[in-house]
Amino acid sequence: GQNIDQPTEMTATEGAIVQINCTYQTSGFNGLFWYQQHAGEAPTFLSYNVLDGLEEKGRFSSFLSRSKGYSYLLLKELQMKDSASYLCAVRASGTYKYIFGTGTRLKVLA
Amino acid sequence: GAVVSQHPSWVICKSGTSVKIECRSLDFQATTMFWYRQFPKQSLMLMATSNEGSKATYEQGVEKDKFLINHASLTLSTLTVTSAHPEDSSFYICSAQDRGYEQYFGPGTRLTVT
């Protein structure tokens, strides 16, 4: 079966660093995506990993370990505007469908 | 580039009526589009895969006769919610897939059934 897990909620302080984990068990794998979604809006693309290792993009970094079925999104220098839901999605091989995780609601406190 | 639009952005309809939502890829051709539904405080759930010129493929538990999908051209897919009921109220999001198998999401359509 397909299973993608993330913590439901996290809270962090402005200026801090937060790591959002994602574990997955899928029948096939063709890349892992992270999206940010503000309430009432569509998801916006943050990062993409297909090979093991760390991808860095400004204040956001994403890590992947395919052997462990594990990824994390690292947000540095947190800002209030980072308060949002963060969605992990695995792209299935063959069908190329995206399977979304449960999503993590992040609250950034002043 | 890679812009996807949806219309309408929000719609209110009465129970028992049908509602059509359009998804357009504005600057690229998409042979495949996807339709998602998102309930409050939940993640995106894939409803169906829409393929240009062929029948849509529905995910388990999604009623194909209730959620009619038509992908008549390489830039347009439509989702029609037939005989809508209050439990169909949700945020509907489409995505269009490019040749590199990357998905670009539309802005979403908020459906409220009264």
Side-chain angles (χ1 to χ4, degrees):
Chain A
Q2 320 274 39
N3 201 35
I4 303 177
D5 286 321
Q6 301 177 234
T8 305
E9 286 188 357
M10 298 183 72
T11 303
T13 307
E14 195 175 17
I17 299 173
V18 71
Q19 178 175 311
I20 303 174
N21 295 324
C22 171
T23 57
Y24 64 91
Q25 288 179 306
T26 57
S27 56
F29 179 86
N30 195 301
L32 187 142
F33 297 79
W34 283 96
Y35 288 86
Q36 180 190 62
Q37 187 180 28
H38 286 99
E41 299 179 11
T44 55
F45 171 79
L46 290 178
S47 71
Y48 167 65
N49 295 71
V50 67
L51 299 176
D52 291 351
L54 188 68
E55 293 284 340
E56 296 186 83
K57 206 187 249 189
R59 294 191 299 116
F60 297 86
S61 304
S62 57
F63 172 83
L64 174 67
S65 169
R66 289 171 295 170
S67 62
K68 295 181 179 177
Y70 168 69
S71 173
Y72 67 72
L73 179 70
L74 194 71
L75 293 77
K76 303 175 187 174
E77 300 169 16
L78 280 174
Q79 302 174 10
M80 299 296 288
K81 67 178 183 180
D82 296 329
S83 292
S85 287
Y86 291 86
L87 308 176
C88 163
V90 171
R91 181 167 64 189
S93 54
T95 64
Y96 298 100
K97 292 192 289 190
Y98 286 22
I99 305 157
F100 279 86
T102 49
T104 300
R105 286 193 299 279
L106 174 66
K107 292 182 185 177
V108 179
L109 305 176
Chain B
V3 179
V4 177
S5 69
Q6 275 185 247
H7 179 80
S9 54
W10 60 271
V11 57
I12 302 172
C13 71
K14 291 188 176 179
S15 189
T17 61
S18 296
V19 174
K20 181 187 282 189
I21 302 170
E22 292 185 349
C23 177
R24 293 182 185 272
S25 56
L26 299 184
D27 51 5
F28 68 102
Q29 293 183 332
T31 54
T32 302
M33 291 184 175
F34 299 89
W35 286 96
Y36 297 85
R37 180 168 51 182
Q38 186 176 34
F39 291 109
K41 295 189 177 182
Q42 294 187 22
S43 191
L44 274 71
M45 287 186 54
L46 180 64
M47 297 176 67
T49 302
S50 170
N51 297 298
E52 188 266 337
S54 64
K55 290 184 178 180
T57 304
Y58 291 82
E59 294 299 302
Q60 193 172 9
V62 178
E63 300 175 58
K64 63 179 181 180
D65 294 330
K66 181 168 183 61
F67 298 100
L68 301 179
I69 291 172
N70 185 284
H71 195 152
S73 76
L74 289 171
T75 58
L76 173 65
S77 175
T78 59
L79 168 69
T80 301
V81 183
T82 63
S83 187
H85 287 100
E87 56 265 31
D88 298 324
S89 297
S90 188
F91 193 46
Y92 292 86
I93 303 174
C94 74
S95 70
Q97 184 181 81
D98 69 7
R99 292 184 178 183
Y101 302 105
E102 189 164 338
Q103 291 186 31
Y104 299 91
F105 288 88
T109 297
R110 173 78 55 196
L111 170 64
T112 302
V113 185
T114 61

